[in-house]
């Protein structure tokens, strides 16, 4: 008799923390230091690729920000859309929702009915880091909108 056991995914907390630290610093370069709820700004990567950052909530130690791709002609399901929580006291930013996932878990059993990766939360935060790096290196405009 052969038994197979699947080990539960253990997140790399140090790596995730480094990524969240980096994401915070990058977002603070793009966002105004005194953001107000409803305030948004646009970042263009090219003439056809545009992202909108919108402040959803502000509190003394946290902000909630949405980042959404607004590329004309790209189907909605393919557009990047994340909600990020910024923790000002510890200078970290973590993705708390992504695409159709309203709440990201630290890890998922695999396989699962929604086919989330075992390390979905880590992957989404790494993706945000890459996206922010691209915006800071290649973004040609930021337009503040109210």
């Amino acid at each position: 008799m052969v038994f197979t056991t699947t080990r539960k995914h253990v997140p790399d907390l140090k790596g995730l923390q480094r990524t969240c630290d980096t994401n915070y610093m990058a977002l603070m370069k793009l966002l105004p230091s005194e953001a107000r709820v409803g305030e948004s700004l646009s970042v263009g990567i090219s003439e056809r690729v545009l992202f909108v950052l919108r402040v959803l909530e502000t509190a003394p130690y946290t902000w909630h920000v949405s980042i959404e791709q607004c590329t004309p002609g790209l189907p909605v399901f393919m557009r990047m859309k994340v909600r990020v929580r910024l923790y000002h006291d510890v200078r970290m930013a973590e993705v708390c929702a992504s695409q159709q996932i309203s709440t990201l878990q630290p890890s998922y059993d695999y396989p699962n009915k929604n086919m989330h990766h075992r390390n979905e939360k880590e992957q989404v935060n790494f993706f945000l880091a890459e996206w922010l790096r691209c915006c800071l290196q290649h973004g040609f405009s930021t337009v503040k909108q109210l």
Side-chain angles (χ1 to χ4, degrees):
M1 207 184 245
V2 176
F3 292 99
T4 59
T5 58
T6 306
R7 290 185 3 197
K8 186 166 176 76
H9 171 72
V10 178
D12 174 10
L13 293 179
K14 287 183 180 180
L16 184 59
Q17 184 175 2
R18 276 191 306 274
T19 302
C20 291
D21 291 345
T22 302
N23 289 348
Y24 179 86
M25 290 185 291
L27 276 166
M28 292 311 291
K29 289 179 182 178
L30 293 171
L31 294 167
S33 59
E34 297 294 326
R36 295 188 311 258
V37 173
E39 189 172 25
S40 65
L41 61 95
S42 300
V43 178
I45 303 299
S46 72
E47 291 183 22
R48 296 194 40 85
V49 180
L50 180 72
F51 294 92
V52 175
L53 287 79
R54 182 167 286 112
V55 179
L56 303 173
E57 294 178 34
T58 60
Y61 300 107
T62 59
W63 290 355
H64 284 248
V65 175
S66 70
I67 303 170
E68 188 169 355
Q69 184 176 1
C70 298
T71 302
L74 189 63
V76 174
F77 70 91
M78 292 181 69
R79 296 179 185 183
M80 182 194 97
K81 184 175 185 176
V82 295
R83 192 174 72 235
V84 180
R85 183 178 298 124
L86 287 86
Y87 301 95
H88 298 297
D89 52 346
V90 292
R91 301 176 56 85
M92 293 176 71
E94 78 170 324
V95 176
C96 51
S98 172
Q99 303 305 96
Q100 295 83 15
I101 307 170
S102 60
T103 305
L104 285 166
Q105 301 301 315
S107 66
Y108 293 91
D109 290 329
Y110 194 83
N112 57 68
K113 72 175 188 165
N114 294 319
M115 295 306 293
H116 297 308
H117 291 277
R118 296 167 63 102
N119 63 342
E120 188 91 19
K121 185 169 191 145
E122 290 174 84
Q123 288 188 26
V124 172
N125 279 284
F126 293 146
F127 173 76
L128 177 62
E130 291 296 319
W131 178 83
L132 290 167
R133 189 175 303 118
C134 178
C135 282
L136 292 171
Q137 289 176 355
H138 305 290
F140 64 85
S141 67
T142 55
V143 180
K144 184 177 173 181
Q145 303 168 350
L146 292 175

